[in-house]
């Protein structure tokens, strides 16, 4: 039996390739992909802004078990699994042997992307989720999906939602904390919903009207439009007006725009916490100027977060099972594409013609 993958063949170029489905080895699981969400990092890879080249695109997905390898009887929460079950995998590996893993930092395992960035022509081929099938490797966490979560919602659970659930859990968010979210893209919306569910008061900053309206459907109590409040001083003044003079307890930067980090430092209260998640590039042109003395004098805690500890996917699925219909998750996706329409999907997503797009590799 054969399956198909959507492989990069160059910058802004993809091609469908067909391969025989691999033999399922000990500890592996073969999934039939139901839906795969297009993540911002997939777009960056397609645009040539990433080290991965000529690999199978995609990492956010929900699939159905087609075949279990020898020894696989449960997921990583101990729940029994069988062919036909819906599964959501952690998209990276945990080798459990490298220095990062030995120190408990499984989320930054040095072998985490060994398969994710693999060339499409290298066996077992089905190593990305823009494909009809996907191979879960040994030491790759995966979990059964609760029955009540729709495919469209869970298709993106194993990346941004889990990352933000993990990040907010690390700072011990308290009820009535004021959380300012810089950026109302996917990560910003997820931050807003999770913070709201924990009892925080959420303020979202962005410059796109539609995004700010959507943020209100994801738990934001207030929004600040950068087109109306065009300077960082004006935005802080508006935040203080909205909160009755309280500076934010937490600022979450998910903009990917380095100067936002300086603004976060300036607006946060004394003793506050900043989560820096949006800026992942280490290129020299992705720098900004800050005043380090503000960090010292305000006794700030600054946490950088990449990915999430793998068991947080299970926690996130449980959270979604309870809260997904409290927010507008079901209407977050505005366009669906077949695998054959992958080039169009990536082009339109790159041009911001769609807010959130999903690939449906199997049309049956």
């Amino acid at each position: 039996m054969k399956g198909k993958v959507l492989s990069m063949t160059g910058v802004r170029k993809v091609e469908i390739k067909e391969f025989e489905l691999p033999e399922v080895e000990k500890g592996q699981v073969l999934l039939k992909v139901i839906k795969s969400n297009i993540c911002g990092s997939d777009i960056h890879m397609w645009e040539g802004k990433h080290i991965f080249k000529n690999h199978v695109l995609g990492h956010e997905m929900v699939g159905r078990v087609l075949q279990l390898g020898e020894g696989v009887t449960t997921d990583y929460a101990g729940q029994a699994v069988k062919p036909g079950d819906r599964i959501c995998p952690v998209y990276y590996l945990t080798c459990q042997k490298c220095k990062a893993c030995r120190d408990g930092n499984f989320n930054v395992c040095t072998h985490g992307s060994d398969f994710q960035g693999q060339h499409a022509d290298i066996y077992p081929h089905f190593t990305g989720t823009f494909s009809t099938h996907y191979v879960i490797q040994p030491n790759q966490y995966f979990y059964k999906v609760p029955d009540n979560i729709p495919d469209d919602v869970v298709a993106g659970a194993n990346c941004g939602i889990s990352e933000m659930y993990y990040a907010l859990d690390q700072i011990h968010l308290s009820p009535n904390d004021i959380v300012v979210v810089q950026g109302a893209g996917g990560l910003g919306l997820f931050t807003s919903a999770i913070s709201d569910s924990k009892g925080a008061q959420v303020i979202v900053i962005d410059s796109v009207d539609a995004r700010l309206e959507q943020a209100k459907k994801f738990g934001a109590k207030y929004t600040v439009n950068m087109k109306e409040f065009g300077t960082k001083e004006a935005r802080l003044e508006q935040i203080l007006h909205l909160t009755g003079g309280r500076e934010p307890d937490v600022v979450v930067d998910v903009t990917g725009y380095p100067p936002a980090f300086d603004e976060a430092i300036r607006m946060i209260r004394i003793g506050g916490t900043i989560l820096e998640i949006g800026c992942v590039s280490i290129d020299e042109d992705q720098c900004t100027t800050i005043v380090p003395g503000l960090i010292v004098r305000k006794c700030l805690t600054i946490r950088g977060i990449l990915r999430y500890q793998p068991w947080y996917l299970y926690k996130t699925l449980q959270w979604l099972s309870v809260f997904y219909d409290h927010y507008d998750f079901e209407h977050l996706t505005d366009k669906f594409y077949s695998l054959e329409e992958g080039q169009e999907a990536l082009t339109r997503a790159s041009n911001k013609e769609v807010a959130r797009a999903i690939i449906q590799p199997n049309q049956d």
Side-chain angles (χ1 to χ4, degrees):
M1 182 178 176
K2 291 186 177 182
K4 298 177 181 179
V5 304
L6 190 70
S7 170
M8 277 192 66
T9 55
V11 176
R12 294 178 177 266
K13 295 180 180 179
V14 293
E15 177 185 315
I16 291 180
K17 296 185 176 183
E18 192 172 70
F19 301 100
E20 289 288 340
L21 295 184
E23 293 292 326
V24 181
E25 300 175 3
K26 182 178 180 179
Q28 292 182 336
V29 179
L30 179 62
L31 300 181
K32 185 175 183 179
V33 178
I34 301 172
K35 292 183 178 180
S36 180
N37 184 55
I38 297 179
C39 176
S41 60
D42 296 318
I43 298 168
H44 294 155
M45 293 173 194
W46 178 75
E47 293 171 337
K49 301 174 182 177
H50 198 278
I51 59 172
F52 292 167
K53 308 293 181 186
N54 299 323
H55 65 297
V56 182
L57 284 164
H59 59 281
E60 300 187 11
M61 63 94 78
V62 58
R64 202 172 295 281
V65 175
L66 196 63
Q67 188 176 350
L68 298 169
E70 180 185 346
V72 181
T73 58
T74 68
D75 68 6
Y76 275 71
Q79 302 174 109
V81 291
K82 64 184 185 305
D85 286 342
R86 284 193 308 161
I87 294 294
C88 192
V90 172
Y91 66 89
Y92 55 88
L93 302 183
T94 53
C95 76
Q96 303 177 20
K97 297 176 183 178
C98 70
K99 180 66 165 59
C101 284
R102 294 199 308 272
D103 289 343
N105 298 311
F106 297 106
N107 52 315
V108 287
C109 171
T110 55
H111 295 283
S113 298
D114 281 1
F115 283 92
Q116 184 190 1
Q118 183 173 284
H119 195 289
D121 292 334
I122 299 175
Y123 188 87
H125 312 299
F126 299 88
T127 52
T129 62
F130 295 173
S131 54
T132 56
H133 299 79
Y134 180 79
V135 178
I136 297 175
Q137 303 293 334
N139 294 332
Q140 184 176 358
Y141 284 61
F142 68 90
Y143 298 99
K144 284 179 66 173
V145 176
D147 292 340
N148 69 316
I149 308 177
D151 291 334
D152 296 356
V153 175
V154 79
N158 69 340
C159 188
I161 307 176
S162 291
E163 182 173 22
M164 298 319 306
Y165 193 93
Y166 170 66
L168 292 165
D169 221 26
Q170 302 315 294
I171 63 170
H172 309 295
L173 198 63
S174 298
N176 209 39
D177 275 354
I178 294 175
V179 177
V180 169
V181 183
Q182 296 173 298
L187 293 180
L189 297 177
F190 304 150
T191 301
S192 181
I194 295 164
S195 299
D196 177 70
S197 75
K198 292 176 178 287
Q201 298 184 49
V202 182
I203 302 172
V204 175
I205 302 174
D206 204 286
S207 61
V208 180
D209 294 346
R211 283 185 167 191
L212 292 171
E213 284 303 310
Q214 198 166 38
K216 295 175 183 177
K217 300 176 183 178
F218 278 80
K221 185 174 183 179
Y222 304 110
T223 60
V224 176
N225 194 323
M226 295 175 69
K227 291 187 294 188
E228 183 178 354
F229 302 94
T231 65
K232 55 192 173 187
E233 292 81 11
R235 289 189 286 275
L236 177 56
E237 183 178 349
Q238 175 64 3
I239 288 168
L240 293 176
H241 170 72
L242 294 171
T243 63
R246 284 181 60 190
E247 294 171 321
D249 301 286
V250 175
V251 177
V252 184
D253 174 22
V254 287
T255 63
Y257 179 62
F261 182 50
D262 173 64
E263 184 170 346
I265 292 171
R266 294 175 184 276
M267 77 167 65
I268 193 79
R269 70 165 171 83
I270 291 174
T273 298
I274 296 171
L275 285 175
E276 178 53 61
I277 296 172
C279 293
V280 296
S281 174
I282 56 175
D283 293 341
E284 289 297 324
D285 63 350
Q286 294 296 303
C287 296
T288 192
T289 301
I290 64 170
V291 181
L294 285 173
I295 299 173
V296 176
R297 289 185 173 276
K298 295 174 81 171
C299 297
L300 301 181
T301 298
I302 298 174
R303 289 289 306 270
I305 301 287
L306 180 69
R307 299 177 179 156
Y308 52 92
Q309 292 283 23
W311 48 90
Y312 266 82
L313 176 54
Y314 175 76
K315 293 174 179 281
T316 300
L317 292 172
Q318 303 311 302
W319 180 84
L320 280 171
S321 181
V322 175
F323 287 105
Y324 88 86
D325 57 357
H326 292 213
Y327 306 101
D328 202 30
F329 279 99
E330 287 196 83
H331 297 104
L332 192 56
T333 302
D334 54 0
K335 186 67 177 176
F336 297 88
Y337 296 90
S338 67
L339 201 61
E340 288 71 19
E341 296 171 319
Q343 179 72 22
E344 177 190 351
L346 289 161
T347 300
R348 295 194 66 196
S350 175
N351 293 338
K352 303 190 185 317
E353 295 173 23
V354 292
R356 185 174 188 255
I358 280 181
I359 301 284
Q360 297 183 130
N362 295 287
Q363 297 296 306
D364 52 359

